[in-house]
Every structure is written in C-alpha cells, then in structure tokens.
Amino acid sequence: MNRHPRLFELLAYVQTHGTVSVEQLADTLGVTLQTVRRDVQRLADEGLLARFHGGVRVPSSTIENIAHKQRENLNAEGKIRIARDVAAAVPNDCSLILNIGTTTEAIARALHGHTGLRVITNNLNVASILSANTHSEVIVVGGVVRGWDQGIVGEAAVDFIRQFKVDIALIGISGIEADGTLRDFDFREVKVSQTIIAHAREVWVAADSSKFNRPAMVEVAKLSQIDRLFTDAPPPDPFPDLLTDAQVRYTVASSTAAPSTPKVNP
C-alpha cells in the first residue's frame, strides 16, 4: 500500500518512543488531531500500531518480549535520562539488587561513579558493567543463564536471593497495565523479580514511557508494592491517580542533557 511520507515519520516516532499520546504526535508532526487520528487508525488497521485511549504504542505480544537488541534501541535516550535520575537518588555505601532489563543496564552505567555499593544482580550485563567500578562490589546470582539477554532465572536464582535483605531493589519491568499491575513475559523471571521485591527495604521501578499500557502475560506485582517510579515522560491517564492512590512517589526525568532538578510528584 502506498503511504504518505508523514505515515513513515509517525511510525518511526512511535517505534522510537514506544508509547505516545495523540497530542504529542500532532505537535511533533505539525498536523491537526483529526489528521493524526486518521493516520493512526490507518496504521492500526494494518497491524503496525496498537491504539489505546488517548494514545498509541508499538504492538506487542502478551506472551513474548521483543529482542534484547531491539529493546536497547527502543527509547534509548529516555532510558539514559531515567538512569541519570536513579543514580542521583542512590546514595553511596548502600546495598542494591538490579534485575534483568535494558533500563537496569543503563542504570548500572550511571552508577559507575558511586563508591561503597554492594550490588546483587541476576543480569550478567549489569555485572559486567559494574565490575569495572573498583570501589564497589558485585555479587552475581546463581541459576540458569538465558543466552539471548544474559539474564539469570530459575529456582536456584530465587533461593540465592532469599539469603539477602538489601536497601534498594532497582527493578525494570516489561509493562504497567491500567489495572495497576506490573507485568512481564517469562514466569521464571517473574518469580525472581517477586523474590527481589520481597527482600528489599525499598523497591524502585525504572520504566520508560513505552511501558505504560503495555500488556504482558504474568503479574509481577501491584503498584502498592513499590515505593518509587522513575520514568521519562508524564504518565498517561489513569496512571497519575493510580500512583497517588498507591502512595508511589514518581519522578519524570528531565529532557535536558545537563543535570537538572527532576519533576517529582507530591
């Protein structure tokens, strides 16, 4: 099917950012809301985009995540901004658990200048990044290694994590649904993440804007089980109310490259 060049621009923008509002698309493309809605409907009819109330996202399966390399590239700039704010909030001389995900890998890079950290992780990529910091210690969880993303899962990983109680769990997640559940795709990974949450004094979730309204099959936790959320754009409805009701403090990372004060909800 022949497409107007604007449709390719719209599709590329959504693929880069993951989840965007109709208003954001109209501003970016310099067209009316009616034009965007018509373009979005056309692309959704072709199966290239998925619509939800007030916005659009990359279509995804509820049973299988996209490839690790694709996730690295998806909203990479937003993940860097999130990682910067997370690192600014993490004190020196504390204990952490970082789980599987490209956002937690970005956080690991941002923690390079910290000292006195003791980090437990079931992510070999995180372990490799943080092991370059000679002023901190990295403990790698035992278990089965998934070759495609270097994540460690399985009952051995769950048993290993049960030995510890850390100051902060830094969790990446595949999706946050409108019912207030945090979700992922692999039930073995979910069991590890649930154990991490249970063995942390505080739970911080790092999720770029593509994760809102993204479906996945297995429930990891509810918003009421976390303490802080770091993201790169204001959460769409109904998430601000859900976060307030769950007493979750959320931080929206600044879009500027220079250090600045992030926006934090009351």
Side-chain angles (χ1 to χ4, degrees):
M1 182 181 296
N2 292 327
R3 298 193 187 97
H4 191 283
R6 183 183 63 249
L7 295 179
F8 291 101
E9 185 179 356
L10 188 158
L11 186 59
Y13 188 85
V14 177
Q15 288 174 337
T16 299
H17 292 81
T19 298
V20 295
S21 68
V22 172
E23 290 79 6
Q24 185 178 354
L25 285 172
D27 289 343
T28 300
L29 300 173
V31 296
T32 65
L33 290 173
Q34 291 78 5
T35 297
V36 166
R37 291 191 181 102
R38 185 171 60 250
D39 290 348
V40 163
Q41 186 60 58
R42 180 176 177 181
L43 292 170
D45 289 342
E46 295 182 51
L48 297 173
L49 294 177
R51 300 185 66 182
F52 61 88
H53 180 67
V56 63
R57 60 173 171 79
V58 177
S60 62
S61 167
T62 62
I63 62 173
E64 185 176 2
N65 206 351
I66 60 177
H68 183 265
K69 182 57 68 176
Q70 288 178 278
R71 285 187 286 126
E72 278 188 317
N73 295 329
L74 182 63
N75 200 10
E77 189 270 338
K79 292 173 184 176
I80 290 170
R81 291 191 283 114
I82 292 169
R84 182 188 64 211
D85 283 350
V86 171
V90 171
N92 292 320
D93 304 306
C94 72
S95 57
L96 309 169
I97 298 182
L98 274 68
N99 76 337
I100 301 169
T102 55
T103 306
T104 52
E105 290 165 20
I107 292 170
R109 295 184 186 95
L111 290 171
H112 183 74
H114 279 57
T115 60
L117 299 181
R118 178 166 289 182
V119 181
I120 303 164
T121 185
N122 65 322
N123 184 335
L124 291 182
N125 292 324
V126 165
S128 177
I129 294 164
L130 284 173
S131 63
N133 182 352
T134 58
H135 300 290
S136 296
E137 181 180 67
V138 180
I139 301 169
V140 179
V141 171
V144 178
V145 179
R146 294 192 311 206
W148 56 272
D149 69 349
Q150 302 297 291
I152 301 172
V153 296
E155 287 301 321
V158 169
D159 290 341
F160 186 92
I161 292 166
R162 284 178 178 149
Q163 302 175 78
F164 303 94
K165 187 79 170 183
V166 300
D167 297 320
I168 303 167
L170 296 174
I171 301 293
I173 199 74
S174 290
I176 307 175
E177 296 204 34
D179 61 357
T181 57
L182 285 69
R183 294 187 169 271
D184 227 309
F185 295 92
D186 186 337
F187 72 93
R188 299 173 303 167
E189 179 180 345
V190 165
K191 290 186 74 68
V192 176
S193 295
Q194 289 172 337
T195 306
I196 291 171
I197 290 170
H199 288 261
R201 295 179 179 88
E202 288 193 28
V203 179
W204 298 1
V205 170
D208 71 82
S209 55
S210 70
K211 306 301 173 62
F212 292 108
N213 287 304
R214 186 185 182 205
M217 188 173 69
V218 190
E219 181 178 324
V220 178
K222 300 184 185 302
L223 285 174
S224 58
Q225 294 175 257
I226 72 172
D227 299 287
R228 296 192 66 173
L229 171 70
F230 293 81
T231 189
D232 64 319
D237 290 333
F239 295 102
D241 289 340
L242 291 175
L243 291 162
T244 299
D245 291 344
Q247 298 183 338
V248 177
R249 184 185 182 202
Y250 67 91
T251 299
V252 178
S254 170
S255 60
T256 58
S260 61
T261 303
K263 297 177 182 178
V264 182
N265 78 314

